[in-house]
Structure formats: structure tokens, C-alpha cells
Amino acid sequence: MDGSRGHAPRQTRTVPIHHRSPDGPPKGRGCWPGPGVGAMGGLQRARNGISGAGSPRCDRRDGGDRSEEGPPARGRRCPESLCRSDDSANLARPGRYPPDPALRPESGILATFRVPTQAPPRTNPPMDPTSIADLLADAQSRIGQTVRLQGWVRTRRDSKAGLSFIQLSDGSSFATMQIVAPSDLENYEADILRVTSGCSLDVEGEVVESRGKGQAIEVKASHIDVRGFVDDPDTYPVSPKKHSYEYLREVAHLRPRTNTFGAVGRVRNCLAMAVHEYFQTNGFQWIHTPIITANDCEGAGEMFRVSTLDAANPPRNEQGEVDFSQDFFGRESHLTVSGQLAVECWCLALSKVYPFGPTFRAENSNTSRHLAEFWMIEPEIAFADLNDDADLAEGLLKHCFRTLLDRRGDDLAFFNERVESTCIQRLEHFVESPFERIDYTDAIDILEKAVAGGRKFEYPVEWGSDLQSEHERYLVEEHVGRPVVVMNYPKDIKAFYMRMNDDGRTVAAMDVLAPGIGEIIGGSQREERIDVLDARLDEMNLPREDYWWYRDLRRYGSVPHAGFGLGFERLIAYATGMANVRDVIPFPRSPGNADF
RNA sequence: UCCCCUGUAGCUCAAUUGGUAGAGCGAGCGGCUGUUAACCGCUAGGUUACUGGUUCGAGUCCAGUUGGGGGAGCCA
């Protein structure tokens, strides 16, 4: 029943004030966080200085007893401030909202919830809400209509002419909507003048042509319902100013409210859909390869163990080793580091397949290009060789970026203006130019010529060793200037499953290198000949029996096939110009960091 | 994991050879204004990440711990 839908409780509630944090979480406010530089301050101190038990987020309090109401400021933690989103969002500093003398701290240990005063009347029955994106899609034809918008406040500006301007964002597009709140709204004094960044609103009003510059239309409000106030605005973490990315990572629960991260979220969604569209329109099947794997043969690095054994006191066998036969799966198991081996089974039945899901690596990698949990796209195609694989990589990437340019011009314009000034140009160039394809051996020649010409590298260039980051960067950024596919690497630096070339010393592997981000795709044609595969397993001291089902694929109807892995976060980082993959995933996991 | 840099107000940063801790933004209050990253004034806000040293005296020097960044390795 909607008559009261959207209205916060009307009564004033009181709570003991020590349920409130001595002060709020670190704040700021993120409209246009600039490039991430500088160091962190308050949060680490909060983290280091306070040692309370309980939820780790609750520890994130900065010191400082900022008013008379607080309990001892340090060494004390609020058990439920940030961690309980329902009530804490409405907690107010006592004595401020409302300014009721009976509730001042000196009258007792009471604080006041900050709640809207009175439910403003609204149309009956209430109308369905519209998204800002939909409203802007046909702005001119909507003029004169009454609409209902729901969203969060970016800024409020008052005019003594008897009105306030509120920038409302609902995340449906980069654009916000200007709400004009006339002072004759019955809750104008009581609510509207108390609205700050971060408040949630439910607005009804007429779409009108804007009298100001900067927007074609605006909504002249007839009713504004403040659904949720911001607790002490002084502590709202995402204040309307520039914030560093490092800081915003520490408030990852609120960073989607900033321009940058809202845009990242929409771009991420758009690219994910583009990936699926490309495959679905080209005859691929999406295969859900397992997250948990008991294979000890994936071989792509350190893995996270999945176990239900008592970590403090695990069962042990006669040799004193942990007895995983008593574990949940009856053997040691892990989170997947790749769906490739599993999806090859489905490739050799459904022909064109792709996993697209989360992947986990327990590597101690501390870089802007690595995450412990990331999303990977791993297409696999049957009756295909390495060139088909490179064609597929090129087709997929170009489709993704073309789609992004078509659909998220608003967000890309922002990235272009505020994050990386060549962002759009780079994407347009990307979709128009053919990839450069060079053999590893030729790449070595190019690098050797560069060295002969005086170019200095920290690591030596020699056939047989892997290309270093500096080598890849030279090839992509200086020598070619656009994405490069390096193909046919020496066999000794690549995995066992990559197909041996006729020269006997290289395998059909490829890396797609992109300017600014490095390796974005790694792939290969797979070894489909059982005798050659076995020889490679033996050569690398890998027990054949561990790969029995993988080898079966080569025994029963084997066929040349190929595939690659595309790191989804690297794709987003490249598309947006965001420098760190931790800032293109909602909640990044990296060594020492699994907050939120 | 290795190398380098770094931690000062809610945020971004200053602080001379070791000598009383500052600004901008944000916030609160007031002024002005169909405003729009508004503008003007006033106010509040600090155990200089933590622990221990050196010193008459430490934000500054030393050691350890811890957080962050850049680069490398591993890779996607």
C-alpha cells in the first residue's frame, strides 16, 4: 500500500549516545576524485590506534573527541555505528538536529535520530518512479509532465529568491537532475534546508525547461520526501570535494556514490554485457566452470585452499601431514585459478564456449594490474589454430570497445576529461586499426636492433627468455603504438598444454599487449596430439595420471583447438584510463585486503 | 617476495640547520545570489600512524612495527 511508501518513521527516536561512535568514519565526498596520489592519513591512524574487538569496520574511527557528547574518544569503539546501516545512517549529533533543548547532552546521554518531519502530501495514488536516464532520453517531450524521481543528493544550493537547487543522482546515467525546491514546500524549512550530500530523496514534480545554464530541463518539485538523512554531515565520507582513489578504497561501501566510481560501475556493466553479446551472437555457449576445484594440476600459480577442517587442529595421517581425505571433498581442494582445462572438455563437444566468472590467485602480487579475486573471460574454440585465436581476441576486444563508445559516451566523456585525456581517442583508434601481429622471434630482433641503436633496458634481450615488462612496453608504446599480438614463444617459458610448433623449439602461444596496461590477454593453441602432450608432461615432470581426463580428450575425438584468457578488470582499466584494477572492481581483494 | 618513496585537521597538502603545528577544500553558523565544483565572512576541528630510543628540546634524527604508493617478479 503506497500511501505511505517511502516515508521514514515520523516519530523522533532517542538512543543512548554511547551507541554512537565518538566521531564518524573518515569523510570526504567524492565528486571528482583526482588522480590517485598522496598518502593516506586518518584511516591508518584509526586502524592502528584503536584495537577494539568485533567487526573490523567498526575500528575505523579516527581519534579526536570532537564534542562534549562523546564517550572517551580513543580506545573505544562503537559496536554498531557504520556496521548497521539502518539506524546509524540517521544518527545525529545531539543538540543539532533537531535543536531540542530537552535532548541536549547535558540533559542525559541521549542523542536524536535525524528524521524527516512530516510526510508531505503526494499524488494519490503515488506514481511510478522514473530514472534520470529515462527522463533525459526524451527530455523535450517530457516537459510539462509530472514525474517521480528517487535518488541521492550530490549538492544543495540555496537561493534567497525562495528556492533551493538540489543535484540528484540515481546512478542510471552519469548525468544528475537538478531539482528545484521552492520554499513554499511545506517541509522546506524543516527538511529541505537540512538536506546535505548523501541524503536520499523521493521527489515528485513537473519537468520544466531550465531557466539556468548547464541543463536543458529540471524538475520543479511539488513534493520532496527525505527518505534518509545523513548522520553528522561533517563525517560523511564522500564530501563534495576531490578525493584520492586510495582514500576512496577505504570507504568502498560509499565510493559508488562518486562520479568516478558510478561511471566505473556502469562501464563495467556495459562491457560485461558486450562480452556476452559478442559471444552469443557468434554461436558461443557460456559454460559455468567450477569455482571449487580438486585438481592439483591447474598450474597457474598459488591457490586458495577450500576446507572445512578445523584449522587449529586438523586431522593428521601417520606421517604427521594434514589428512585431507577427511576434508569435505575427501581431498585437498582449492578455488579455481582458471576454467581453461575444464572448459576444454566442453569445447570438444559444443565447439565454441566461454567461461566468464570469478577467478582466484593467492599470489603475493602487489601491483596495479593484479587482484586476488578477479573476473576472467576464457573463450575456447574447436577446429581452430592460433591465428583463429588471435582473430577472436581482436574481434572480441573491438566489439567491446565499439559497444562502449556507442552506449556509454556520457561516462567516457568524464573519463576523458578527468581521468585520462586520450581515453576516447585511444578507444576509437583501437577499434579502427588492425592489431599488429609479430612473432616472438621477430620481437626479439626488434628489441635487439633497439639496443644496438642505443636503447637501454635493465634486463638483457635474448632469444629464449621471456619478454620483460620494459620490453613489452617498448614494443607496444614506442615501436608500434597500438595493440600487439606476440606469437610463438619459446617452449621452455610456456605451459605444458600449449601446442608444439614444427620447429620443435616454440609453442603456439600468444600474448595481446595493450599500451599502458601491458598483457591484457594470454592464450594459445592447445596441444591436441596425445603423444606430443605426453612427451611434454614427462619433460616437465608432471604425472600423467593427474591429467587423465585431460588426456582423454586427446584420445577420444581430438581436434585442434585454441583459446585465451582475458582479464576483465584489465579490460575495464584500459577502456577507462583508470590506472589500478583495484578501482574498477566493486570490492577489491589483494594481499592483506579483503575488507567489506 | 624484492627495491625505492611515503604516513601531519574529515580530505589534499605545507612547516627553514631539531626550537610555540599552518593553508586550501570540506563541515557548522551568518551574508548574498535562478543557483550549478557558486561566492563572501566567522567558528570549530591535531596524542604529527604506533612503540621505543638520541636530545635541554623531536612532526623533523635513529631502530622496530604497521598502513599506503611507485617499480620489479608472477600473471589476466
Side-chain angles (χ1 to χ4, degrees), chain A residues 195-232:
Chain A
V195 161
T196 57
S197 298
C199 293
S200 50
L201 303 186
D202 195 330
V203 177
E204 269 180 20
E206 186 190 350
V207 180
V208 297
E209 210 159 341
S210 179
R211 286 163 59 185
K213 295 173 195 147
Q215 60 281 318
I217 60 165
E218 62 197 18
V219 171
K220 186 166 187 239
S222 51
H223 309 294
I224 296 181
D225 187 1
V226 182
R227 297 285 293 267
F229 271 110
V230 163
D231 172 25
D232 185 357

mmCIF file of all heavy atoms in Angstrom, chain A residues 195-232:
data_model
loop_
_atom_site.group_PDB
_atom_site.id
_atom_site.type_symbol
_atom_site.label_atom_id
_atom_site.label_comp_id
_atom_site.label_asym_id
_atom_site.label_seq_id
_atom_site.Cartn_x
_atom_site.Cartn_y
_atom_site.Cartn_z
ATOM 1 N N VAL A 195 18.952 19.267 4.049
ATOM 2 C CA VAL A 195 19.468 18.246 3.123
ATOM 3 C C VAL A 195 20.939 18.505 2.838
ATOM 4 O O VAL A 195 21.342 19.641 2.601
ATOM 5 C CB VAL A 195 18.650 18.272 1.818
ATOM 6 C CG1 VAL A 195 19.401 17.601 0.690
ATOM 7 C CG2 VAL A 195 17.303 17.601 2.035
ATOM 8 N N THR A 196 21.732 17.469 2.921
ATOM 9 C CA THR A 196 23.149 17.586 2.600
ATOM 10 C C THR A 196 23.528 16.482 1.619
ATOM 11 O O THR A 196 22.712 15.602 1.315
ATOM 12 C CB THR A 196 24.016 17.418 3.867
ATOM 13 O OG1 THR A 196 23.714 16.154 4.459
ATOM 14 C CG2 THR A 196 23.741 18.523 4.869
ATOM 15 N N SER A 197 24.755 16.523 1.149
ATOM 16 C CA SER A 197 25.245 15.486 0.240
ATOM 17 C C SER A 197 25.018 14.112 0.842
ATOM 18 O O SER A 197 25.336 13.890 2.006
ATOM 19 C CB SER A 197 26.735 15.671 -0.003
ATOM 20 O OG SER A 197 26.961 16.905 -0.609
ATOM 21 N N GLY A 198 24.473 13.228 0.052
ATOM 22 C CA GLY A 198 24.307 11.857 0.515
ATOM 23 C C GLY A 198 22.911 11.513 0.981
ATOM 24 O O GLY A 198 22.579 10.342 1.114
ATOM 25 N N CYS A 199 22.066 12.524 1.229
ATOM 26 C CA CYS A 199 20.690 12.229 1.642
ATOM 27 C C CYS A 199 19.945 11.556 0.496
ATOM 28 O O CYS A 199 20.211 11.802 -0.676
ATOM 29 C CB CYS A 199 19.957 13.514 2.002
ATOM 30 S SG CYS A 199 20.582 14.320 3.475
ATOM 31 N N SER A 200 18.991 10.728 0.838
ATOM 32 C CA SER A 200 18.177 10.087 -0.194
ATOM 33 C C SER A 200 16.819 10.773 -0.262
ATOM 34 O O SER A 200 16.213 11.074 0.763
ATOM 35 C CB SER A 200 18.015 8.605 0.113
ATOM 36 O OG SER A 200 17.603 8.409 1.447
ATOM 37 N N LEU A 201 16.371 11.009 -1.479
ATOM 38 C CA LEU A 201 15.133 11.755 -1.696
ATOM 39 C C LEU A 201 14.172 10.996 -2.600
ATOM 40 O O LEU A 201 14.594 10.239 -3.468
ATOM 41 C CB LEU A 201 15.419 13.115 -2.369
ATOM 42 C CG LEU A 201 16.366 14.095 -1.703
ATOM 43 C CD1 LEU A 201 16.357 15.408 -2.482
ATOM 44 C CD2 LEU A 201 15.996 14.325 -0.263
ATOM 45 N N ASP A 202 12.918 11.257 -2.367
ATOM 46 C CA ASP A 202 11.853 10.789 -3.244
ATOM 47 C C ASP A 202 11.096 12.054 -3.660
ATOM 48 O O ASP A 202 10.527 12.735 -2.817
ATOM 49 C CB ASP A 202 10.945 9.829 -2.455
ATOM 50 C CG ASP A 202 10.045 9.013 -3.364
ATOM 51 O OD1 ASP A 202 9.687 9.521 -4.450
ATOM 52 O OD2 ASP A 202 9.706 7.883 -2.981
ATOM 53 N N VAL A 203 11.158 12.361 -4.956
ATOM 54 C CA VAL A 203 10.719 13.670 -5.423
ATOM 55 C C VAL A 203 9.601 13.527 -6.439
ATOM 56 O O VAL A 203 9.679 12.689 -7.340
ATOM 57 C CB VAL A 203 11.906 14.418 -6.095
ATOM 58 C CG1 VAL A 203 11.463 15.759 -6.646
ATOM 59 C CG2 VAL A 203 13.058 14.582 -5.121
ATOM 60 N N GLU A 204 8.602 14.354 -6.294
ATOM 61 C CA GLU A 204 7.616 14.488 -7.363
ATOM 62 C C GLU A 204 7.615 15.927 -7.839
ATOM 63 O O GLU A 204 7.760 16.851 -7.026
ATOM 64 C CB GLU A 204 6.212 14.141 -6.855
ATOM 65 C CG GLU A 204 5.863 12.676 -7.024
ATOM 66 C CD GLU A 204 4.455 12.382 -6.509
ATOM 67 O OE1 GLU A 204 3.651 13.322 -6.393
ATOM 68 O OE2 GLU A 204 4.201 11.213 -6.211
ATOM 69 N N GLY A 205 7.446 16.100 -9.131
ATOM 70 C CA GLY A 205 7.412 17.465 -9.618
ATOM 71 C C GLY A 205 7.220 17.510 -11.120
ATOM 72 O O GLY A 205 7.139 16.477 -11.794
ATOM 73 N N GLU A 206 7.175 18.724 -11.614
ATOM 74 C CA GLU A 206 6.920 18.926 -13.030
ATOM 75 C C GLU A 206 8.242 19.107 -13.773
ATOM 76 O O GLU A 206 9.140 19.813 -13.300
ATOM 77 C CB GLU A 206 6.038 20.177 -13.218
ATOM 78 C CG GLU A 206 5.603 20.387 -14.655
ATOM 79 C CD GLU A 206 4.934 21.745 -14.876
ATOM 80 O OE1 GLU A 206 4.639 22.427 -13.868
ATOM 81 O OE2 GLU A 206 4.737 22.114 -16.042
ATOM 82 N N VAL A 207 8.336 18.476 -14.924
ATOM 83 C CA VAL A 207 9.512 18.681 -15.768
ATOM 84 C C VAL A 207 9.357 20.023 -16.467
ATOM 85 O O VAL A 207 8.346 20.268 -17.131
ATOM 86 C CB VAL A 207 9.638 17.551 -16.817
ATOM 87 C CG1 VAL A 207 10.872 17.769 -17.683
ATOM 88 C CG2 VAL A 207 9.674 16.196 -16.143
ATOM 89 N N VAL A 208 10.335 20.898 -16.258
ATOM 90 C CA VAL A 208 10.242 22.219 -16.873
ATOM 91 C C VAL A 208 11.554 22.529 -17.587
ATOM 92 O O VAL A 208 12.592 21.934 -17.306
ATOM 93 C CB VAL A 208 9.980 23.315 -15.812
ATOM 94 C CG1 VAL A 208 8.642 23.096 -15.136
ATOM 95 C CG2 VAL A 208 11.105 23.362 -14.787
ATOM 96 N N GLU A 209 11.471 23.440 -18.512
ATOM 97 C CA GLU A 209 12.668 23.935 -19.171
ATOM 98 C C GLU A 209 13.485 24.700 -18.137
ATOM 99 O O GLU A 209 12.919 25.486 -17.368
ATOM 100 C CB GLU A 209 12.278 24.864 -20.311
ATOM 101 C CG GLU A 209 13.244 24.868 -21.435
ATOM 102 C CD GLU A 209 12.602 25.366 -22.731
ATOM 103 O OE1 GLU A 209 11.355 25.362 -22.823
ATOM 104 O OE2 GLU A 209 13.352 25.768 -23.604
ATOM 105 N N SER A 210 14.781 24.494 -18.103
ATOM 106 C CA SER A 210 15.578 25.134 -17.061
ATOM 107 C C SER A 210 15.809 26.602 -17.385
ATOM 108 O O SER A 210 16.096 26.957 -18.524
ATOM 109 C CB SER A 210 16.915 24.419 -16.904
ATOM 110 O OG SER A 210 17.680 25.055 -15.914
ATOM 111 N N ARG A 211 15.685 27.428 -16.364
ATOM 112 C CA ARG A 211 15.979 28.849 -16.552
ATOM 113 C C ARG A 211 17.459 29.114 -16.388
ATOM 114 O O ARG A 211 17.941 30.197 -16.699
ATOM 115 C CB ARG A 211 15.187 29.681 -15.539
ATOM 116 C CG ARG A 211 13.709 29.763 -15.880
ATOM 117 C CD ARG A 211 12.884 30.214 -14.686
ATOM 118 N NE ARG A 211 13.287 31.517 -14.180
ATOM 119 C CZ ARG A 211 12.759 32.074 -13.081
ATOM 120 N NH1 ARG A 211 11.835 31.437 -12.400
ATOM 121 N NH2 ARG A 211 13.165 33.260 -12.675
ATOM 122 N N GLY A 212 18.180 28.163 -15.837
ATOM 123 C CA GLY A 212 19.611 28.372 -15.643
ATOM 124 C C GLY A 212 20.415 27.729 -16.761
ATOM 125 O O GLY A 212 19.882 27.051 -17.624
ATOM 126 N N LYS A 213 21.722 27.981 -16.722
ATOM 127 C CA LYS A 213 22.598 27.345 -17.692
ATOM 128 C C LYS A 213 23.046 25.992 -17.139
ATOM 129 O O LYS A 213 22.995 25.757 -15.951
ATOM 130 C CB LYS A 213 23.831 28.207 -17.933
ATOM 131 C CG LYS A 213 23.508 29.534 -18.581
ATOM 132 C CD LYS A 213 24.756 30.411 -18.620
ATOM 133 C CE LYS A 213 24.367 31.856 -18.921
ATOM 134 N NZ LYS A 213 25.239 32.822 -18.257
ATOM 135 N N GLY A 214 23.486 25.135 -18.016
ATOM 136 C CA GLY A 214 24.066 23.888 -17.540
ATOM 137 C C GLY A 214 23.147 22.694 -17.676
ATOM 138 O O GLY A 214 23.591 21.564 -17.562
ATOM 139 N N GLN A 215 21.870 22.909 -17.888
ATOM 140 C CA GLN A 215 20.975 21.782 -18.100
ATOM 141 C C GLN A 215 19.755 22.275 -18.884
ATOM 142 O O GLN A 215 19.341 23.428 -18.742
ATOM 143 C CB GLN A 215 20.528 21.159 -16.779
ATOM 144 C CG GLN A 215 19.773 22.082 -15.840
ATOM 145 C CD GLN A 215 20.691 23.012 -15.067
ATOM 146 O OE1 GLN A 215 21.741 22.607 -14.597
ATOM 147 N NE2 GLN A 215 20.308 24.282 -14.954
ATOM 148 N N ALA A 216 19.238 21.389 -19.730
ATOM 149 C CA ALA A 216 18.109 21.782 -20.550
ATOM 150 C C ALA A 216 16.817 21.746 -19.739
ATOM 151 O O ALA A 216 15.974 22.623 -19.874
ATOM 152 C CB ALA A 216 17.995 20.853 -21.763
ATOM 153 N N ILE A 217 16.701 20.708 -18.925
ATOM 154 C CA ILE A 217 15.468 20.593 -18.149
ATOM 155 C C ILE A 217 15.813 20.448 -16.670
ATOM 156 O O ILE A 217 16.946 20.151 -16.303
ATOM 157 C CB ILE A 217 14.624 19.374 -18.596
ATOM 158 C CG1 ILE A 217 15.427 18.078 -18.402
ATOM 159 C CG2 ILE A 217 14.151 19.529 -20.015
ATOM 160 C CD1 ILE A 217 14.589 16.825 -18.465
ATOM 161 N N GLU A 218 14.803 20.647 -15.856
ATOM 162 C CA GLU A 218 14.935 20.418 -14.426
ATOM 163 C C GLU A 218 13.559 20.020 -13.908
ATOM 164 O O GLU A 218 12.573 20.060 -14.647
ATOM 165 C CB GLU A 218 15.440 21.685 -13.727
ATOM 166 C CG GLU A 218 14.500 22.866 -13.857
ATOM 167 C CD GLU A 218 15.154 24.195 -13.527
ATOM 168 O OE1 GLU A 218 16.394 24.271 -13.525
ATOM 169 O OE2 GLU A 218 14.416 25.174 -13.295
ATOM 170 N N VAL A 219 13.512 19.596 -12.665
ATOM 171 C CA VAL A 219 12.234 19.176 -12.098
ATOM 172 C C VAL A 219 11.853 20.145 -10.992
ATOM 173 O O VAL A 219 12.591 20.306 -10.009
ATOM 174 C CB VAL A 219 12.320 17.737 -11.556
ATOM 175 C CG1 VAL A 219 11.056 17.381 -10.780
ATOM 176 C CG2 VAL A 219 12.523 16.761 -12.705
ATOM 177 N N LYS A 220 10.740 20.812 -11.192
ATOM 178 C CA LYS A 220 10.241 21.728 -10.171
ATOM 179 C C LYS A 220 9.401 20.908 -9.208
ATOM 180 O O LYS A 220 8.322 20.417 -9.545
ATOM 181 C CB LYS A 220 9.404 22.827 -10.833
ATOM 182 C CG LYS A 220 8.989 23.886 -9.856
ATOM 183 C CD LYS A 220 8.451 25.124 -10.577
ATOM 184 C CE LYS A 220 8.212 26.229 -9.560
ATOM 185 N NZ LYS A 220 6.822 26.684 -9.542
ATOM 186 N N ALA A 221 9.918 20.757 -8.004
ATOM 187 C CA ALA A 221 9.326 19.797 -7.079
ATOM 188 C C ALA A 221 8.013 20.297 -6.497
ATOM 189 O O ALA A 221 7.895 21.461 -6.107
ATOM 190 C CB ALA A 221 10.303 19.494 -5.955
ATOM 191 N N SER A 222 7.046 19.402 -6.455
ATOM 192 C CA SER A 222 5.821 19.683 -5.714
ATOM 193 C C SER A 222 5.834 18.967 -4.366
ATOM 194 O O SER A 222 5.180 19.390 -3.426
ATOM 195 C CB SER A 222 4.602 19.267 -6.532
ATOM 196 O OG SER A 222 4.745 17.948 -7.001
ATOM 197 N N HIS A 223 6.576 17.858 -4.303
ATOM 198 C CA HIS A 223 6.729 17.130 -3.044
ATOM 199 C C HIS A 223 8.151 16.596 -2.986
ATOM 200 O O HIS A 223 8.644 16.062 -3.975
ATOM 201 C CB HIS A 223 5.784 15.930 -2.962
ATOM 202 C CG HIS A 223 4.366 16.272 -3.267
ATOM 203 N ND1 HIS A 223 3.603 17.096 -2.485
ATOM 204 C CD2 HIS A 223 3.574 15.887 -4.293
ATOM 205 C CE1 HIS A 223 2.403 17.206 -2.998
ATOM 206 N NE2 HIS A 223 2.357 16.492 -4.110
ATOM 207 N N ILE A 224 8.766 16.740 -1.850
ATOM 208 C CA ILE A 224 10.070 16.101 -1.651
ATOM 209 C C ILE A 224 10.029 15.367 -0.326
ATOM 210 O O ILE A 224 9.779 15.959 0.724
ATOM 211 C CB ILE A 224 11.223 17.122 -1.632
ATOM 212 C CG1 ILE A 224 11.336 17.801 -2.993
ATOM 213 C CG2 ILE A 224 12.539 16.414 -1.284
ATOM 214 C CD1 ILE A 224 12.472 18.811 -3.083
ATOM 215 N N ASP A 225 10.256 14.097 -0.411
ATOM 216 C CA ASP A 225 10.263 13.263 0.777
ATOM 217 C C ASP A 225 11.716 12.881 1.056
ATOM 218 O O ASP A 225 12.359 12.244 0.222
ATOM 219 C CB ASP A 225 9.408 12.019 0.484
ATOM 220 C CG ASP A 225 9.215 11.171 1.715
ATOM 221 O OD1 ASP A 225 9.714 11.558 2.786
ATOM 222 O OD2 ASP A 225 8.564 10.118 1.593
ATOM 223 N N VAL A 226 12.239 13.320 2.174
ATOM 224 C CA VAL A 226 13.611 12.928 2.525
ATOM 225 C C VAL A 226 13.546 11.542 3.144
ATOM 226 O O VAL A 226 13.048 11.359 4.244
ATOM 227 C CB VAL A 226 14.247 13.924 3.509
ATOM 228 C CG1 VAL A 226 15.679 13.498 3.800
ATOM 229 C CG2 VAL A 226 14.220 15.327 2.939
ATOM 230 N N ARG A 227 14.028 10.572 2.404
ATOM 231 C CA ARG A 227 13.918 9.189 2.893
ATOM 232 C C ARG A 227 14.971 8.877 3.932
ATOM 233 O O ARG A 227 14.731 8.117 4.851
ATOM 234 C CB ARG A 227 14.052 8.225 1.708
ATOM 235 C CG ARG A 227 12.954 8.384 0.698
ATOM 236 C CD ARG A 227 11.669 7.791 1.206
ATOM 237 N NE ARG A 227 11.755 6.359 1.323
ATOM 238 C CZ ARG A 227 11.381 5.502 0.377
ATOM 239 N NH1 ARG A 227 10.860 5.955 -0.737
ATOM 240 N NH2 ARG A 227 11.508 4.202 0.555
ATOM 241 N N GLY A 228 16.144 9.428 3.769
ATOM 242 C CA GLY A 228 17.193 9.154 4.751
ATOM 243 C C GLY A 228 18.144 10.335 4.830
ATOM 244 O O GLY A 228 18.746 10.721 3.831
ATOM 245 N N PHE A 229 18.249 10.920 5.996
ATOM 246 C CA PHE A 229 19.223 11.988 6.179
ATOM 247 C C PHE A 229 20.613 11.397 6.337
ATOM 248 O O PHE A 229 20.782 10.198 6.555
ATOM 249 C CB PHE A 229 18.873 12.805 7.422
ATOM 250 C CG PHE A 229 17.940 13.943 7.142
ATOM 251 C CD1 PHE A 229 16.628 13.917 7.605
ATOM 252 C CD2 PHE A 229 18.358 15.033 6.409
ATOM 253 C CE1 PHE A 229 15.766 14.963 7.347
ATOM 254 C CE2 PHE A 229 17.498 16.088 6.150
ATOM 255 C CZ PHE A 229 16.202 16.049 6.614
ATOM 256 N N VAL A 230 21.599 12.269 6.243
ATOM 257 C CA VAL A 230 22.959 11.875 6.544
ATOM 258 C C VAL A 230 23.215 12.223 8.004
ATOM 259 O O VAL A 230 22.949 13.349 8.424
ATOM 260 C CB VAL A 230 23.938 12.615 5.620
ATOM 261 C CG1 VAL A 230 25.351 12.563 6.157
ATOM 262 C CG2 VAL A 230 23.876 12.028 4.226
ATOM 263 N N ASP A 231 23.650 11.254 8.718
ATOM 264 C CA ASP A 231 24.122 11.483 10.087
ATOM 265 C C ASP A 231 25.106 12.645 10.018
ATOM 266 O O ASP A 231 25.411 13.093 8.959
ATOM 267 C CB ASP A 231 24.810 10.192 10.552
ATOM 268 C CG ASP A 231 25.513 10.338 11.879
ATOM 269 O OD1 ASP A 231 25.106 11.206 12.658
ATOM 270 O OD2 ASP A 231 26.452 9.577 12.127
ATOM 271 N N ASP A 232 25.562 13.139 11.057
ATOM 272 C CA ASP A 232 26.515 14.232 11.064
ATOM 273 C C ASP A 232 27.231 14.447 9.722
ATOM 274 O O ASP A 232 28.123 13.699 9.346
ATOM 275 C CB ASP A 232 27.559 13.921 12.143
ATOM 276 C CG ASP A 232 28.529 15.069 12.305
ATOM 277 O OD1 ASP A 232 28.420 16.055 11.552
ATOM 278 O OD2 ASP A 232 29.379 14.968 13.186
#
